[in-house]
């Protein structure tokens, strides 16, 4: 008996077999507009203790992977890269976890919040780094 995937081209073997809209339950845009590429997301410590609850049964494997990745703060772009999924799909999944109370999102600190314009030492470090390339 042959497996149904044996008829696929070997050239397309790197492509995922599950379509992104299947992972997100047919949703194509995130409900949250506050998630940017550099928004930091972190799993809440209470999320691990409530894994046996009703919410975990509804989760996709990608949701569980996000929770495992986000034990330390990660940017949305880093999570998307680790999952090998488009950022838009990752934002939908992260939004699900935030809504379920298992993930926390925090915008990155801006220079304006830290006291105005960036210091000369930062600008000089960037300049020197670019010269070394």
């Amino acid at each position: 008996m042959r497996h149904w995937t044996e008829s696929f081209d070997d050239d397309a073997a790197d492509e995922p077999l599950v379509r992104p809209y299947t992972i997100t339950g047919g949703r194509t845009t995130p409900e949250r507009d506050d998630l940017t590429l550099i928004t930091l997301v972190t799993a809440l410590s209470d999320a691990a203790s409530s894994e046996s609850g009703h919410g975990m049964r509804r989760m996709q494997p990608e949701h569980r992977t996000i929770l495992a990745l986000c034990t330390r703060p990660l940017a949305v772009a880093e999570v998307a890269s680790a999952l090998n999924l488009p950022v838009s799909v990752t934002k939908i999944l992260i939004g699900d976890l935030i809504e379920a109370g298992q993930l926390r999102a925090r915008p990155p600190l801006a220079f304006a919040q830290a006291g105005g314009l960036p210091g000369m030492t930062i600008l000089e470090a960037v300049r020197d780094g670019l010269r070394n390339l």
Side-chain angles (χ1 to χ4, degrees):
M1 184 177 206
R2 291 182 49 199
H3 192 268
W4 65 274
T5 59
E6 290 180 20
S7 63
F8 288 112
D9 280 333
D10 287 338
D11 297 334
D14 291 339
E15 296 179 22
L17 295 176
V18 178
R19 299 280 185 215
Y21 63 81
T22 305
I23 295 170
T24 62
R27 296 171 291 166
T28 57
T29 57
E31 294 174 5
R32 300 179 63 97
D33 59 354
D34 61 338
L35 295 175
T36 65
L37 290 176
I38 58 174
T39 300
L40 297 175
V41 290
T42 310
L44 298 175
S45 58
D46 297 341
S49 62
S50 65
E51 286 186 5
S52 61
H54 174 58
M56 285 300 285
R57 285 182 277 168
R58 292 184 39 218
M59 283 191 184
Q60 298 283 347
E62 291 80 8
H63 286 116
R64 292 185 193 97
T65 304
I66 291 170
L67 287 175
L69 286 170
C70 293
T71 55
R72 63 182 178 88
L74 284 178
V76 171
E78 292 174 305
V79 175
S81 175
L83 290 174
N84 198 24
L85 287 174
V87 174
S88 59
V89 172
T90 305
K91 285 181 180 181
I92 293 170
L93 298 174
I94 288 173
D96 293 344
L97 292 170
I98 292 170
E99 188 176 316
Q102 296 183 345
L103 206 63
R104 180 183 67 191
R106 170 178 80 75
L109 296 177
F111 281 114
Q113 293 175 341
L117 299 175
M120 284 303 292
T121 55
I122 292 175
L123 294 174
E124 289 171 353
V126 170
R127 179 197 65 200
D128 294 343
L130 290 173
R131 282 185 182 161
N132 289 334
L133 292 177

